[in-house]
Amino acid sequence: MDKYMKIAIAEAQKGIRAGHGGPFGCVIVKGGNIVGKGHNEVIKRSDPTCHGEVMAIRDACKKLGTFDLSGCELYTTAEPCPMCAGAIKWANISKVWYGCNIADTDSIGFRDKVFYEAPEDISEELDRAECLELFEEYRSISDKKLY
């Protein structure tokens, strides 16, 4: 068994045994060192965004003092959902290793599969002109290129 996946599994076990959420644990590694760990805390924090990968990304960013995790690899007990995959891309993580796949996650009652289907469109544009002014203000004072 891979040593980092073993740690991700232990992180998931810690979370499920504490009643924090589902069996999802994650570690982030850079240069052979663990820089972030996390497990699902959706129930503990009453927050649907507290997936294991997101918690590990937050931990790694805090420890490294950056939002850019370029050069990092992520080990997680299950294939990342679209939200986590988005966070992984925003963080510039270079490689993802996962244990269980989407079908496995579905088999224990999680609904990740529906997020890969055509979404119901619940969005509508509103007050674009005012929001474009906000964007222009940001552009005029920002010297950083964000992802």
Side-chain angles (χ1 to χ4, degrees), residues 105-121:
T105 304
D106 186 61
S107 75
I108 61 168
F110 287 85
R111 59 189 179 109
D112 292 27
K113 193 171 161 184
V114 302
F115 297 102
Y116 293 91
E117 298 166 358
E120 175 187 349
D121 189 4

Side-chain angles (χ1 to χ4, degrees), residues 126-137:
L126 177 68
D127 296 329
R128 181 171 181 258
E130 292 81 2
C131 293
L132 282 171
E133 288 176 21
L134 174 68
F135 277 33
E136 188 53 42
E137 178 183 347

Side-chain angles (χ1 to χ4, degrees), residues 17-146:
R17 291 173 183 166
H20 293 174
F24 309 108
C26 182
V27 296
I28 298 175
V29 177
K30 185 170 188 173
N33 297 308
I34 294 176
V35 295
K37 285 198 265 186
H39 60 265
N40 185 290
E41 296 188 31
V42 168
I43 294 170
K44 176 185 178 185
R45 296 179 185 259
S46 298
D47 182 340
T49 68
C50 290
H51 291 195
E53 296 91 340
V54 171
M55 301 307 289
I57 288 169
R58 290 173 181 165
D59 187 44
C61 289
K62 184 177 179 182
K63 286 180 180 167
L64 296 175
T66 182
F67 58 84
D68 186 354
L69 299 180
S70 293
C72 290
E73 294 189 355
L74 184 145
Y75 295 77
T76 183
T77 56
E79 187 171 355
C81 72
M83 177 185 71
C84 292
I88 289 163
K89 287 178 184 176
W90 277 108
N92 295 310
I93 292 171
S94 60
K95 180 72 178 176
V96 174
W97 303 93
Y98 64 88
C100 295
N101 61 39
I102 297 163
D104 299 325
T105 304
D106 186 61
S107 75
I108 61 168
F110 287 85
R111 59 189 179 109
D112 292 27
K113 193 171 161 184
V114 302
F115 297 102
Y116 293 91
E117 298 166 358
E120 175 187 349
D121 189 4
I122 61 169
S123 300
E124 188 173 335
E125 191 176 283
L126 177 68
D127 296 329
R128 181 171 181 258
E130 292 81 2
C131 293
L132 282 171
E133 288 176 21
L134 174 68
F135 277 33
E136 188 53 42
E137 178 183 347
Y138 173 78
R139 183 188 348 250
S140 71
I141 62 172
S142 177
D143 60 352
K144 293 181 181 180
K145 181 179 178 186
L146 299 179

